[in-house]
Amino acid sequence: MGKFSKAGGREMPELNTSSLPDLVFAILFFFMMVTSMREVTLKVQFRSPQATELQKLEKKSLVTFIYVGKPTPDLVAKMGNEPRIQLNDQIAEISEVGAYIGQEKASMKEEDQPFMTTSIKGDYETNMGLITDLKQALREAYALKISYSARPRVK
């Protein structure tokens, strides 16, 4: 029989970390794919009206959203209960819509500017007078492609 000796000074082998960067990048890629970034913090409440004829917008990168509705409960004390217009993350007046549209067009490529669509996400209880004023301001800013956001009608 053979004799086993404990003398020999064996050491613990080092941990192989050659596949660690691959694992880190795979996890990073996973989180990048499943995480969605919020574009705008809503300061107005809106419930989309119902509609029967709906179309999806083709290129969302060419769409500029304008939100119309009553301020959120935490802003009611400061702004009142009247419907307001929200452009990006700020409450705005009708007079500011033209400058906003100009800024949005300037941030686009020149060949995409004619295809810019303005989508109005308005609360279904908003007065049509405010929507008409908004449409008039968009017309003056040469934002002539307008869509209204809606949800499918429940039967």
Side-chain angles (χ1 to χ4, degrees):
M1 291 229 177
K3 186 176 179 185
F4 295 101
S5 67
K6 293 187 177 182
R10 292 187 188 173
E11 295 180 11
M12 183 75 163
E14 288 190 30
L15 185 63
N16 186 2
T17 59
S18 62
S19 63
L20 191 61
D22 295 335
L23 181 64
V24 169
F25 283 116
I27 292 171
L28 178 66
F29 183 73
F30 171 76
F31 284 118
M32 286 173 52
M33 294 303 295
V34 299
T35 303
S36 62
M37 302 299 278
R38 179 180 290 165
E39 293 178 13
V40 175
T41 303
L42 290 178
K43 295 184 179 182
V44 295
Q45 304 172 40
F46 75 92
R47 293 166 297 198
S48 298
Q50 295 180 355
T52 55
E53 300 294 324
L54 298 175
Q55 275 186 324
K56 279 198 168 206
L57 294 172
E58 294 297 320
K59 282 184 112 179
K60 290 226 178 185
S61 63
L62 300 177
V63 179
T64 301
F65 293 101
I66 297 177
Y67 302 91
V68 181
K70 293 180 181 179
T72 55
D74 55 327
L75 295 175
V76 168
K78 191 186 333 180
M79 296 183 187
N81 234 1
E82 292 298 312
R84 302 288 179 169
I85 297 172
Q86 179 179 339
L87 307 173
N88 280 340
D89 282 336
Q90 297 184 353
I91 301 292
E93 298 294 325
I94 292 287
S95 59
E96 300 173 46
V97 172
Y100 171 72
I101 293 298
Q103 179 184 4
E104 290 292 313
K105 277 188 179 179
S107 69
M108 291 182 173
K109 295 179 187 172
E110 193 170 330
E111 61 268 8
D112 289 340
Q113 288 178 359
F115 303 110
M116 180 179 136
T117 302
T118 305
S119 180
I120 299 174
K121 289 190 169 194
D123 188 52
Y124 73 94
E125 292 180 347
T126 301
N127 295 342
M128 205 54 205
L130 181 59
I131 300 293
T132 304
D133 293 343
L134 178 59
K135 284 174 39 181
Q136 189 64 33
L138 291 171
R139 198 173 292 139
E140 290 171 4
Y142 297 106
L144 304 177
K145 287 179 119 181
I146 300 174
S147 71
Y148 299 96
S149 297
R151 57 190 159 102
R153 179 166 289 187
V154 179
K155 295 180 181 179

